[in-house]
Structure formats: structure tokens, C-alpha cells
Amino acid sequence: MQNKKIDLIVGARPNFVKCAVLYDVLKKKGFTIRLIHTGQHYDEKMSDIFFKDLSIPKEDVNLNVGSSSHAVQTGMIMQKYEELLYKERCDLVIVFGDVNSTVACVITAAKLHIETAHVEAGLRSYDRNMPEEINRLATDSISNYLFAPDRGAVDNLKKEGHTENVFLAGNIMIDTLKKHIEIIENYNLSEYNITNKKYIYMTLHRPFNVDNKDRLKSIIDFTNRISEDYPIIIPLHPRTEKMLEHFDIKSNLSNNIILIQPVSYLKSIAFIKNARSVITDSGGIQEETTYLNIPCYTLRKNTERPITITNGTNMLIEPDKNALEAILSDNEKTCDAIELWDGKTSDRIVDFICKEVF
Ligand code: UD1
């Protein structure tokens, strides 16, 4: 496969996690890889730290688009990626997940008649208020190859008329998690003065939770109440930090809430693995908690990952009394092993590419 060139597109934190193992497996098969970082995430703690943690080689090209409105960010990525493809085409573009970088690059490649593959195809929250849902729908509708993480995702794609080139590949996040599990188990968190299973880990960054003052305030009140019983560690996403300052409510946080800078992948999973439970609005963390059998409370009305509820530890919550009771009660949960969350998704994707694409 030495004469075949593949562009791997990454831009935001979850993409870095998803590309790590696939990059290595493709490289070993002899493909020529061009790792393209769009620059959607650019802070050391939102980007570089993930490359170091996961031993991902430095990107070959950085489009350096930075932050802006959805249309501007997506448009800038398209413009810059098109320029790059005009200079040097590739044979296949692989995109991950549901961020703006994903949809921008898939549209650009498709219009230049370059084949495209979407890893994590078919997830649907059926909530078009979320920008990610628009990105998923658009990306799946034009990608040539759709790599689905579970059977529910395959069914969603079928309902939308995708019958050819849908491949049940498994969950690529679990490849990265399994590969690093020993390091995670031995990760030293002693500097945080917390006791295993006696603290709660929380992440929050979705616009619908943090961009509205009343909603953010009610989540802070809810978190303060939980922190009367358990310390809560929160690595603050830059968007959340900005909004807490903007609404002038950072000082409302109780002393038992430990705010820290955004953390690396390995540290984040170590925090999750040792926590009593996790409160989040992240997509990936719903899957990671299910895999690690840690109770997860998701501050959302819906999820594009329902398998984490039916087979895993996840529960959707509102910041209310019911959720408080659930979080503070004894909440051991057991999960079913989920088909193809086995650490071999990258191998299956690369086999498919070798047999069916080239
Ligand atoms: C993006 C993804 C979201 C994903 C999340 C993971 C989209 C539409 N959203 O959301 O699906 O769950 O990444 O983190 O693609 N900022 C910094 N430094 C950075 C990056 C961002 O300070 O390195 C700040 C900027 O003020 C920016 C804000 O965070 O305006 C939001 O960043 P953006 O990339 O637009 O979206 P996320 O909220 O990170």
C-alpha cells in the first residue's frame, strides 16, 4: 500500500484520542499518512498535551484556523484544506467524530472527488439544536465509507438510506483506552489530595449548559449541593471558564469544588477510573465510564450514545432533586460487555480499507 496516500483529519480534543491507534496501524501497513490538524483546538492543554500523552507524531500540516463562529471556522477550514489538496491530493480522507473540522474536510474532499471515510458514523441524538448533530448528518450523507461503532448506529444509517459501504467496525475510543490501561491504573493523582471512590469527577462544556446564565447557575447550585457530601474535581474547559467569568458566577462555587486546568487524556481517564461517579456532558466520557464500569450522570436531555444507557452505566439527568438522590445514593452499576468495544476497531478499519477501498 506504499503508493496510497491517506489524510487523517484532526482538530479538536476527541479527534486526537480517536486517531491515535489508527495512525499506527495504517503506518504499519505501509500507507503514506498526512496528519492534518485544522487548529480548531490550539491551546497547549487542549491540543499538544494529547499528542504527547498518546505519542501521536507531530502533525504534518496545521491549518491554524483557531476559534470563531461556526460558519467562519468551518469555512476557513474548507478554504485552507482545499488549497492544500490543490497542491497535493491524496487517495482517501479519513475524518473522525462530529466536530466542525470533520464536516469541513469531508465536504472539501468530496467536491474534489476524493474518497472519504467517517469513523464513528451513524450516531444520532435526533436533536438538531446541537451543532454536532448537524455535523454528523452532513458528514454521513456524503462520506463514501461509514465505520459505525455499534449496531444502533448501523440501524440509524439504514433508516437514512445508507445500505452500501456501512461497516460495523466497533468503538475506536476503546482502542486508545485499552492500549493505555496499565499506565492509567498506575497514574499518580496524589497531588490532588483525594481518596479513591470518594470524589466525583465532572466535566462541562456544551453550549446549552454553559452559554445560558440561568442554566449555568442552576448547574452550579446543583454541584455545590453535591459537594457538601463529596469533593468534586472539575477540569475547566476554556468555554466554561469564559462563561463563568462573563456571568460573574465563578465565586459562587463552593470550596469543596476543585477547579483545575484542562487535563491530558491519561490523567482524565485516571480521574474517571478512581472516581465514585462522573457527571458530564461529554460524548466520549459516556463511553469511557461504561467501559470502566463507573456510574455516569449526563447533564443532557438526549444522547447520541444510547448504548451507554441500555448496556452501560449512563443516566441522563437534569440538575434537580431526583438526580441529586441518584448521585448521592449507593450506585454500583454493572455493564454488559459491548460487542466490538474490544480494542481492535483500528485493525478492522484498516483491513476493510485494504480489501474494499484500494
Ligand atoms: C468542540 C466541539 C465539541 C467537542 C469539544 C471538545 C464543535 C462544534 N464542537 O467544542 O463537539 O465536544 O470541541 O472539547 O466542533 N478555546 C480555547 N482554546 C482552545 C480551543 C477553544 O480557549 O484551544 C475556547 C475559545 O474561546 C472558543 C471556545 O473555547 O471560542 C469553544 O471552542 P470550539 O472549538 O469552538 O468548541 P468547543 O466548545 O471546544
Side-chain angles (χ1 to χ4, degrees):
M1 297 294 172
Q2 264 141 2
N3 54 346
K4 297 295 179 192
K5 291 185 197 153
I6 299 182
D7 277 3
L8 284 188
I9 307 294
V10 293
R13 279 194 305 195
N15 296 160
F16 310 142
V17 178
K18 287 165 199 165
C19 88
V21 178
L22 185 60
Y23 183 101
D24 287 344
V25 181
L26 284 167
K27 207 75 214 186
K28 272 192 203 124
K29 274 279 173 197
F31 288 105
T32 304
I33 309 292
R34 188 163 60 169
L35 186 61
I36 314 283
H37 189 327
T38 63
Q40 179 174 347
H41 284 174
Y42 44 87
D43 284 346
E44 203 263 332
K45 289 195 162 51
M46 298 293 284
S47 176
D48 303 8
I49 204 175
F50 285 76
F51 280 69
K52 277 186 215 129
D53 238 13
L54 299 171
S55 309
I56 305 168
K58 188 168 166 47
E59 67 270 16
D60 298 292
V61 180
N62 194 317
L63 304 178
N64 282 316
V65 297
S67 301
S68 34
S69 71
H70 283 269
V72 172
Q73 188 175 60
T74 309
M76 273 170 60
I77 297 169
M78 289 176 68
Q79 193 182 345
K80 291 190 166 192
Y81 187 44
E82 187 184 55
E83 276 168 26
L84 187 72
L85 286 174
Y86 275 140
K87 275 192 213 134
E88 195 182 342
R89 283 175 73 89
C90 61
D91 301 297
L92 177 70
V93 175
I94 301 183
V95 296
F96 301 88
D98 55 17
V99 302
N100 287 345
S101 305
T102 309
V103 68
C105 290
V106 104
I107 293 175
T108 308
K111 291 203 172 181
L112 294 178
H113 312 296
I114 297 173
E115 291 214 296
T116 55
H118 183 207
V119 177
E120 206 185 78
L123 294 186
R124 296 288 181 270
S125 65
Y126 296 101
D127 175 2
R128 292 196 184 189
N129 289 316
M130 289 182 72
E132 292 82 1
E133 184 73 355
I134 310 289
N135 294 344
R136 290 179 202 117
L137 284 161
T139 301
D140 285 340
S141 73
I142 52 173
S143 295
N144 298 91
Y145 305 101
L146 298 170
F147 296 121
D150 58 52
R151 287 188 191 275
V154 172
D155 291 344
N156 293 339
L157 290 166
K158 274 192 195 146
K159 274 185 234 152
E160 288 166 21
H162 300 286
T163 46
E164 283 171 25
N165 290 343
V166 175
F167 177 59
L168 176 60
N171 188 330
I172 204 156
M173 297 278 278
I174 307 302
D175 288 17
T176 306
L177 183 39
K178 271 195 97 165
K179 183 177 171 193
H180 296 92
I181 196 74
E182 246 178 67
I183 307 176
I184 291 160
E185 278 167 354
N186 294 309
Y187 207 95
N188 184 354
L189 295 171
S190 58
E191 68 181 286
Y192 294 97
N193 202 15
I194 42 174
T195 312
N196 280 358
K197 303 294 166 195
K198 296 236 159 86
Y199 69 90
I200 290 172
Y201 184 61
M202 177 165 177
T203 76
L204 193 72
H205 74 281
R206 298 276 167 208
F208 57 80
N209 278 331
V210 306
D211 286 4
N212 174 292
K213 186 174 182 182
D214 290 339
R215 174 80 180 172
L216 185 56
K217 239 174 140 277
S218 75
I219 293 175
I220 297 296
D221 292 344
F222 175 71
T223 311
N224 281 343
R225 170 61 196 89
I226 299 166
S227 76
E228 289 171 18
D229 290 42
Y230 295 98
I232 305 183
I233 305 261
I234 309 182
L236 257 198
H237 186 286
R239 173 193 287 276
T240 313
E241 170 143 51
K242 212 165 71 180
M243 297 321 286
L244 283 170
E245 276 160 13
H246 175 69
F247 297 137
D248 199 17
I249 49 178
K250 209 169 170 187
S251 57
N252 293 17
L253 287 162
S254 96
N255 289 339
N256 215 18
I257 296 177
I258 305 159
L259 290 186
I260 58 176
Q261 297 273 308
V263 291
S264 71
Y265 172 77
L266 295 175
K267 192 183 270 192
S268 183
I269 303 286
F271 271 128
I272 292 171
K273 191 159 192 316
N274 293 311
R276 172 190 161 84
S277 59
V278 171
I279 303 172
T280 193
D281 59 9
S282 148
I285 290 180
Q286 295 171 52
E287 299 177 334
E288 288 154 351
T289 45
T290 275
Y291 184 78
L292 295 169
N293 218 351
I294 305 294
C296 178
Y297 300 94
T298 299
L299 274 164
R300 287 177 47 183
K301 293 196 189 326
N302 48 57
T303 177
E304 62 290 335
R305 292 162 162 94
I307 199 166
T308 61
I309 298 178
T310 53
N311 297 44
T313 60
N314 193 17
M315 180 178 168
L316 299 180
I317 58 162
E318 280 297 294
D320 61 16
K321 203 164 156 278
N322 289 343
L324 193 67
E325 273 168 23
I327 292 169
L328 296 182
S329 66
D330 266 333
N331 46 13
E332 288 283 303
K333 289 188 185 177
T334 42
C335 303
D336 306 331
I338 299 178
E339 186 189 15
L340 304 184
W341 287 29
D342 58 357
K344 294 184 183 140
T345 295
S346 299
D347 293 328
R348 283 186 287 271
I349 289 175
V350 175
D351 281 352
F352 180 95
I353 290 172
C354 293
K355 284 188 200 126
E356 308 290 334
V357 179
F358 296 123

